[in-house]
Amino acid sequence: MNKRQMQALETKRKILQTALALFQEKGFSHVSVDEIIDKTNTSKGAFYNHFKSKHDIFFEKFKEIDQYYIDDVEPELAKLQFIEQKLHKFFEMQMDFIDEHFGWDVTRTIYEHELNVDKESFFLNPNRPLYVVLTRLCDEAKEEGYFRQDIPTKSMVTVFARTIRGMLYDWSIHQGSYSLTKEYKLLFHTVIAGLRQD
């Protein structure tokens, strides 16, 4: 990477971190592109060179969770012996990350943007590490006889994905008034119980 590329990367990082801090402090709708530019001492050209809009900043942040599944979650799952432990660890780490690194306002804004019918939803990309890890866990659970055999793995993954999205949406409209880490346990215990082999 040459000097110019490194400077561009640093500018993008500075804009991203400053914007996210402002969103956290004031709320997404109360922060303008002009304020982000002013705080970072950059230009509109620099901003729009890296981001199409304020919403794009969220998606740069949101992509971090996919990398988190690869870099942090999977190594932790590999340390565990039983599939039930792995399933609960996966959801616990996921909810902890969203609670600590996103917050309800960022999550709400992402969901709001994903409801735009004129674009393909990032949430539905089947190649996301989220779906890859969930598929692996469901396959393992079925192979061990922990999950029932009459429901295809793909359908199980869909159930989990919809449960995750439903919980995060609910948490967002309640403005983060409850702990994701605590609340997920009852919800996912119920879903897992429905998928278990009798």
Side-chain angles (χ1 to χ4, degrees):
M1 186 180 293
N2 61 38
K3 186 176 180 181
R4 186 174 179 181
Q5 290 171 321
M6 289 178 66
Q7 287 174 336
L9 195 62
E10 175 59 25
T11 298
K12 182 177 181 179
R13 185 194 63 79
K14 183 165 65 170
I15 291 170
L16 176 66
Q17 291 182 347
T18 301
L20 288 169
L22 287 169
F23 296 156
Q24 193 73 26
E25 177 189 348
K26 299 182 172 186
F28 179 80
S29 60
H30 299 292
V31 178
S32 67
V33 170
D34 286 338
E35 184 175 5
I36 296 168
I37 290 166
D38 182 59
K39 287 281 187 181
T40 53
N41 197 28
T42 53
S43 65
K44 277 195 176 180
F47 180 92
Y48 288 111
N49 186 47
H50 297 293
F51 304 102
K52 292 179 183 177
S53 67
K54 288 194 302 179
H55 285 98
D56 273 12
I57 291 172
F58 278 119
F59 283 98
E60 284 296 316
K61 180 68 177 174
F62 193 71
K63 288 173 188 175
E64 287 181 15
I65 195 168
D66 278 344
Q67 198 59 43
Y68 173 72
Y69 293 133
I70 296 167
D71 295 342
D72 297 273
V73 175
E74 290 209 288
E76 286 299 313
L77 298 183
K79 297 175 186 177
L80 301 173
Q81 181 178 358
F82 302 109
I83 186 61
E84 185 174 15
Q85 294 174 317
K86 293 179 182 182
L87 286 163
H88 282 285
K89 189 67 174 177
F90 173 83
F91 294 118
E92 178 184 41
M93 291 184 72
Q94 179 192 50
M95 294 301 162
D96 277 345
F97 186 90
I98 292 170
D99 203 349
E100 292 175 17
H101 296 275
F102 289 172
W104 72 267
D105 189 50
V106 170
T107 305
R108 177 191 61 79
T109 305
I110 289 170
Y111 272 75
E112 183 181 83
H113 193 248
E114 284 297 286
L115 291 172
N116 183 345
V117 296
D118 296 326
K119 59 181 283 299
E120 187 176 346
S121 175
F122 174 74
F123 286 168
L124 302 180
N125 179 354
N127 298 316
R128 286 188 59 203
L130 167 66
Y131 300 122
V132 173
V133 177
L134 278 174
T135 298
R136 190 177 302 129
L137 287 172
C138 290
D139 280 340
E140 184 178 337
K142 291 175 78 172
E143 286 166 12
E144 293 186 9
Y146 183 77
F147 275 175
R148 51 200 290 178
Q149 303 297 315
D150 61 327
I151 301 177
T153 295
K154 186 176 180 180
S155 297
M156 291 182 174
V157 171
T158 298
V159 167
F160 280 126
R162 288 175 177 168
T163 303
I164 292 165
R165 289 196 293 267
M167 183 168 184
L168 294 180
Y169 176 79
D170 184 77
W171 180 64
S172 298
I173 63 175
H174 280 90
Q175 298 183 9
S177 63
Y178 58 84
S179 167
L180 278 178
T181 307
K182 291 179 182 177
E183 197 70 20
Y184 94 88
K185 292 179 182 178
L186 174 61
L187 183 61
F188 284 99
H189 176 76
T190 304
V191 174
I192 289 168
L195 294 174
R196 286 190 65 173
Q197 182 71 39
D198 292 333

